[in-house]
Amino acid sequence: MRDTDTNISAAVVRAAKDDPAAGAALEALGRHGNVYAVGGIVRDTVLGVTGKDVDLLVQGVSPDDVQAALERLPGRVDYTGKHFGVFRYRASGGGDVEVALPRTERSVGAGHRDFEVVSDHTLAVEEDLARRDFTGNAIAVNLATGEIIDPYRGREDLRGGLLRTVSEDSFRDDPLRILRALSSVSRHGLAATFETAQAMAQHAAGLHELPAERVAAELDKTLAGSDPVAALNLAEMTGVLREVLPDVAAMEGFDQRSKYHSLLLHDHTKAVVGWVVEQGGDVDLRWAALLHDVGKPTSQWIDEHGYGHYYQADGGVGADHEIVGADMARRILNDLKFPTERITRIVRLVRHHMFPPFKTETAARRFVNRVGPDYTDDLLTLRWADVDGKEKDFDSNVPQMRALLEKIRAEKQPTGIAMLAIDGHDLLAAGHEQGPSMGATLRMLLDAVIEDATLNTRDNLFDLLRNSGVGKETKA
Ligand code: CTP
């Protein structure tokens, strides 16, 4: 074995033994048959990144004997996958491990759900590896001997940064793997080989068979990875984007015909996603970056000079692309069955991504009030990233806007009804009638203090009420 291989097997064996659940299962099962670490842990070790959970494969032990051996351990055994040859052992001290028998899988219909899984403890580990998606995921390490079983040269591909399918039927067998290819590119820094990209394109239509939740989960992993832009490029090139996010694909090649934008819309969008990625790991902000201009193609109008515009002009021509885009984002994310809170946040970021720069505290208070206090920082990040091209011509107003926001936050300047110096109880006590007019009164007071924060004292607000004729008899 090469030195690097010795290191890999040693690291994988150590990871398995150090993991409380995997270590105990290994100890118990190792007496009866061959136990291997497979999948993500081996791949991540070859890639030199901290491995995720250890998944075990046990060969040569009958399901009943696996079950009996695991049951003797302290903790619990989950049998929900037993029919498919998969057990999950939860150690009493916390942590769990998947213990699988060798399996072969094959499609018995067109869809992801039409799948037959055959488990057989007498199968060789190589046969199990043959049904896996990518060569880099099809490596096993024998945890007793340290032997690396790598029939598809997965290590070589991983070291070369390549994503390659184990079999040419990989995507036909399971279209979800087309999206796993995208998430692998983004998360593991791999590039699909020509043949793999070609196979993705060939089987992209099969993506319609997948349940929305599975698509969403894999797209989410893709956007959460370190290089979603590489994955988006691959998704465009293979036509996969058109199948899973047709509205995003509609930005491909779209000429903005603008003085302010030299890039085609999809290139601009990817640049924004890339800049947002550099700002941190917030996946919803990345979704917002991906969708921020999705409303542009259907909002465009062209002026007499041939320039494109993306807001509703006099006479009703064109549309405000951020409003159209927010509606589209809601539909897209609803279709993907995203949780409501995530939809709300992403849609709101898309809806408010266009705003004139604010240069005064008053304007900053108006902004916070309009977009909501939880959205201001993200909107500024989005705006900072919303630049054209690869040059760092970021909006120079953003640092000043951030400073203004910090100041009004630190000084607790009023930007919402809850920050007013009086509340509904005060109004009631002062004789204001109960009912919807109360909300309108508070809103009127808020508008006043947003314009002039010094008005936010009890005396000033009651004065204001008297002067404005609301509840004439109210007393401070
Ligand atoms: N696998 C596959 N086809 C799928 C899903 C999974 O071939 N549609 C295989 C892969 O070989 C993978 C293994 O099953 O390595 C375990 O899958 P999973 O735990 O989902 O992914 P990992 O690759 O282990 O890692 P991660 O969770 O980080 O994606």
Side-chain angles (χ1 to χ4, degrees), residues 113 143 150 219 252 254 266 278 324 347 354 392 428:
R113 284 154 291 192
L143 294 172
D150 181 10
L219 291 178
E252 275 176 57
F254 183 82
H266 68 295
E278 287 198 3
V324 174
V347 167
M354 298 295 291
K392 293 204 172 194
L428 281 178

Side-chain angles (χ1 to χ4, degrees), residues 175-339:
L176 184 73
R177 292 171 169 172
I178 298 172
L179 302 181
R180 281 176 60 88
L182 298 183
S183 65
S184 297
V185 164
S186 176
R187 297 164 71 211
H188 309 310
L190 302 175
T193 63
F194 177 75
E195 293 77 17
T196 296
Q198 212 174 27
M200 288 172 73
Q202 193 188 339
H203 295 286
L207 288 163
H208 289 292
E209 304 290 337
L210 296 174
E213 294 87 342
R214 303 295 300 270
V215 173
E218 220 53 53
L219 291 178
D220 223 25
K221 273 160 76 180
T222 303
L223 273 184
S226 47
D227 196 356
V229 174
L232 287 167
N233 284 333
L234 178 63
E236 283 174 3
M237 191 180 86
T238 53
V240 167
L241 194 63
R242 214 170 31 241
E243 301 296 334
V244 288
L245 291 172
D247 299 296
V248 176
M251 294 191 279
E252 275 176 57
F254 183 82
D255 182 351
Q256 303 201 60
R257 300 223 215 166
S258 162
K259 280 185 245 180
Y260 311 107
H261 295 284
S262 55
L263 293 180
L264 295 172
L265 188 55
H266 68 295
D267 285 329
H268 163 71
T269 298
K270 284 182 288 183
V272 177
V273 171
W275 294 126
V276 165
V277 168
E278 287 198 3
Q279 296 310 295
D282 182 341
V283 68
D284 289 345
L285 193 52
R286 296 177 182 191
W287 273 102
L290 181 67
L291 299 175
H292 80 286
D293 275 349
V294 76
K296 271 191 170 174
T298 51
S299 306
Q300 188 185 51
W301 61 277
I302 308 284
D303 67 19
E304 67 274 23
H305 307 294
Y307 289 120
H309 302 280
Y310 304 93
Y311 55 85
Q312 188 162 57
D314 295 342
V317 62
D320 292 333
H321 77 273
E322 68 277 27
I323 297 178
V324 174
D327 287 345
M328 291 172 73
R330 183 177 300 286
R331 179 178 42 72
I332 293 166
L333 299 170
N334 258 324
D335 288 349
L336 287 172
K337 302 203 166 38
F338 264 51

Side-chain angles (χ1 to χ4, degrees), residues 102-118:
R103 285 171 289 167
T104 50
E105 289 178 5
R106 64 187 183 85
S107 172
V108 291
H112 178 63
R113 284 154 291 192
D114 307 326
F115 231 75
E116 189 177 75
V117 181
V118 190

Side-chain angles (χ1 to χ4, degrees), residues 19 40 50 64 72 85 112 141 146 173 203 214 231 255-256 270 272 274 347 354 373 388 402 409 422 440 451 474:
D19 181 284
T50 312
D64 288 342
R72 278 194 291 274
H112 178 63
V141 172
D173 286 352
H203 295 286
R214 303 295 300 270
D255 182 351
Q256 303 201 60
K270 284 182 288 183
V272 177
V347 167
M354 298 295 291
D388 197 46
R402 276 204 202 283
R409 211 179 285 148
I422 61 174
E451 294 311 307
T474 51

Side-chain angles (χ1 to χ4, degrees), residues 39-41 43-44 52 55 112 131-134 137-138 174 176-177 180 187-188 214 221:
I41 182 69
R43 175 198 65 222
D44 290 348
K52 39 161 257 153
D55 292 333
H112 178 63
R131 66 153 177 106
R132 291 178 186 256
D133 47 9
F134 304 112
N137 287 339
D174 182 358
L176 184 73
R177 292 171 169 172
R180 281 176 60 88
R187 297 164 71 211
H188 309 310
R214 303 295 300 270
K221 273 160 76 180

Side-chain angles (χ1 to χ4, degrees), residues 356-379:
F358 47 87
K359 301 196 163 157
T360 64
E361 291 177 33
T362 305
R365 289 194 296 274
R366 280 189 213 124
F367 175 72
V368 178
N369 177 251
R370 191 175 71 252
V371 305
D374 297 338
Y375 290 85
T376 54
D377 292 336
D378 292 337
L379 284 169

Side-chain angles (χ1 to χ4, degrees), residues 433-450:
E433 67 183 45
Q434 202 155 16
S437 70
M438 180 97 82
T441 301
L442 289 167
R443 179 72 231 180
M444 183 272 285
L445 294 177
L446 177 63
D447 288 342
V449 302
I450 284 175

